Amino acid sequence: MAQDRPPSNRSTTQRAAVLRAVESVHTHPNAEEVYRLVRKNMPNISLATVYRNLHLLADEGKLREVQFLGDVLRYDAMTDPHEHFYCRACHRVWDLDSSLPETVLRATERKTHGSIERYALDYYGLCSHCRKSTTSRD
Amino acid sequence: MAQDRPPSNRSTTQRAAVLRAVESVHTHPNAEEVYRLVRKNMPNISLATVYRNLHLLADEGKLREVQFLGDVLRYDAMTDPHEHFYCRACHRVWDLDSSLPETVLRATERKTHGSIERYALDYYGLCSHCRKSTTSRD
DNA sequence: TCCACTAATAGTAATTATTCCTATTAATGG
DNA sequence: CCATTAATAGGAATAATTACTATTAGTGGA
Ligand SMILES: [Mn+2]
Ligand SMILES: [Mn+2]
Ligand SMILES: [Zn+2]
Ligand SMILES: [Zn+2]
């Protein structure tokens, strides 16, 4: 039974532009924001193409998907393991160095009913800017 | 300037039923699943009421919102800090004891641009059941 | 116990985010 | 340069959530 090999991904200008857009910012943009960025240079790329390529690039490991409570999927060009702080007021994201000790990861691997392929450690709160300008609530 | 106090939440049978539904399962149900559960005893509760009360109960700290990559909001009656393993194939969730050392949390608190109110540590992979029954890919 | 007030609900419409569909375009290997 | 077919543009469809509004039902006082 001949394995039908997966079609090799063609390299399109759209795909390259989507990747470059995410790499060009440190804001962890969502699909809509990537769409806006790419359209500056490629005014009639379609939104569906942006979505398709974001997923594809994430599958290939060139981008990382991140998502915070109640927010939509966002994309991160920093694929090395690291953690995030998410401000619940302005929805901005800060990168944090990896702080989860290897020992913790190993211990969880033992306890868990499955194999751990990845993890997300997300911190939530108010950023210093929003702490000044608001009276605590959202 | 007189503070107009927030209206005190009335206790409705719907709200109690929503809370009980989430407490009755360990599956971390989403709104639709809670809706199905509640309708067994309260056949014409509306979906909007379920959504509204889930949010409200989360605000009150009686429920905790959780969300995994690419999935919708789910609810957890276990409000004490703990962590999760999420199977990317069957989308089931396992509770894990808290494994993030206090020292790590403190260190992050110093590094971070804001104050940490909560965090989520989510592990992703294939559960043992799905590892047996599938040929690796989703 | 009754009532007035108004928060909460049921039912439905609207919105948002994402995926699906399909005719057309363009990357690629020969 | 072609033939093949993956990928795209544009728009329709779907899924999840929120908004709207007439009606219902908690609640605190009389
Ligand atoms: Mn990041
Ligand atoms: Mn849990
Ligand atoms: Zn902020
Ligand atoms: Zn599984």
Side-chain angles (χ1 to χ4, degrees):
Chain A
M1 210 130 293
Q3 283 278 27
D4 48 354
R5 76 184 60 182
S8 59
N9 290 336
R10 295 181 178 175
S11 78
T12 65
T13 56
Q14 288 89 342
R15 181 160 311 153
V18 166
L19 179 56
R20 266 187 291 104
V22 180
E23 286 172 340
S24 75
V25 293
H26 293 159
T27 55
H28 305 77
N30 62 29
E32 196 67 42
E33 288 160 349
V34 174
Y35 182 48
R36 276 203 294 276
L37 286 167
V38 174
R39 275 203 297 183
K40 288 178 184 173
N41 296 311
M42 193 179 274
N44 48 4
I45 191 173
S46 85
L47 181 56
T49 295
V50 171
Y51 271 100
R52 188 172 359 88
N53 281 306
L54 285 172
H55 281 133
L56 199 145
L57 290 162
D59 276 355
E60 286 180 341
K62 297 197 180 113
L63 291 180
R64 179 172 159 191
E65 295 184 314
V66 297
Q67 185 167 30
F68 305 97
L69 271 176
D71 200 349
V72 301
L73 272 179
R74 294 173 169 230
Y75 291 84
D76 193 343
M78 266 272 293
T79 52
D80 303 325
H82 65 281
E83 300 156 7
H84 292 114
F85 176 86
Y86 178 79
C87 176
R88 63 168 166 82
C90 66
H91 306 150
R92 272 179 292 193
V93 176
W94 279 263
D95 285 314
L96 299 171
D97 293 330
S98 182
S99 67
L100 188 70
E102 266 296 315
T103 55
V104 170
L105 191 57
R106 299 266 171 67
T108 305
E109 229 149 24
R110 274 194 302 280
K111 285 187 300 183
T112 214
H113 287 82
S115 55
I116 294 170
E117 296 169 352
R118 53 170 301 186
Y119 71 89
L121 176 49
D122 304 325
Y123 295 93
Y124 294 85
L126 284 178
C127 73
S128 56
H129 181 268
C130 289
R131 240 189 314 172
K132 281 178 225 149
S133 52
T134 72
T135 316
S136 89
R137 272 287 133 215
D138 198 353
Chain B
M1 212 130 287
Q3 282 278 28
D4 48 354
R5 77 183 59 182
S8 60
N9 291 335
R10 294 180 178 175
S11 78
T12 64
T13 56
Q14 288 88 344
R15 182 160 310 153
V18 166
L19 179 55
R20 264 187 293 104
V22 179
E23 286 172 340
S24 75
V25 293
H26 292 161
T27 55
H28 305 77
N30 62 28
E32 196 67 41
E33 288 159 350
V34 173
Y35 183 49
R36 277 202 293 275
L37 286 168
V38 174
R39 275 203 295 185
K40 288 179 184 170
N41 297 311
M42 194 178 273
N44 47 7
I45 191 172
S46 85
L47 181 57
T49 294
V50 171
Y51 271 101
R52 188 171 359 87
N53 281 306
L54 286 172
H55 281 134
L56 199 145
L57 290 162
D59 276 355
E60 286 179 340
K62 295 193 180 118
L63 291 180
R64 179 172 159 191
E65 295 184 312
V66 296
Q67 185 166 31
F68 305 97
L69 271 176
D71 199 350
V72 302
L73 271 179
R74 295 172 168 230
Y75 291 84
D76 192 343
M78 265 272 292
T79 52
D80 302 324
H82 65 282
E83 299 156 8
H84 294 113
F85 176 84
Y86 179 80
C87 176
R88 66 168 164 82
C90 65
H91 305 152
R92 272 179 294 194
V93 176
W94 280 263
D95 284 314
L96 300 172
D97 292 332
S98 183
S99 68
L100 188 70
E102 267 296 316
T103 53
V104 171
L105 191 57
R106 299 265 172 66
T108 306
E109 230 148 24
R110 275 194 302 281
K111 284 187 300 183
T112 214
H113 287 83
S115 54
I116 295 170
E117 297 168 352
R118 56 170 299 188
Y119 70 90
L121 177 48
D122 304 325
Y123 296 94
Y124 294 86
L126 284 178
C127 74
S128 56
H129 181 269
C130 288
R131 242 191 311 176
K132 280 178 226 148
S133 53
T134 71
T135 315
S136 92
R137 273 286 135 214
D138 197 354

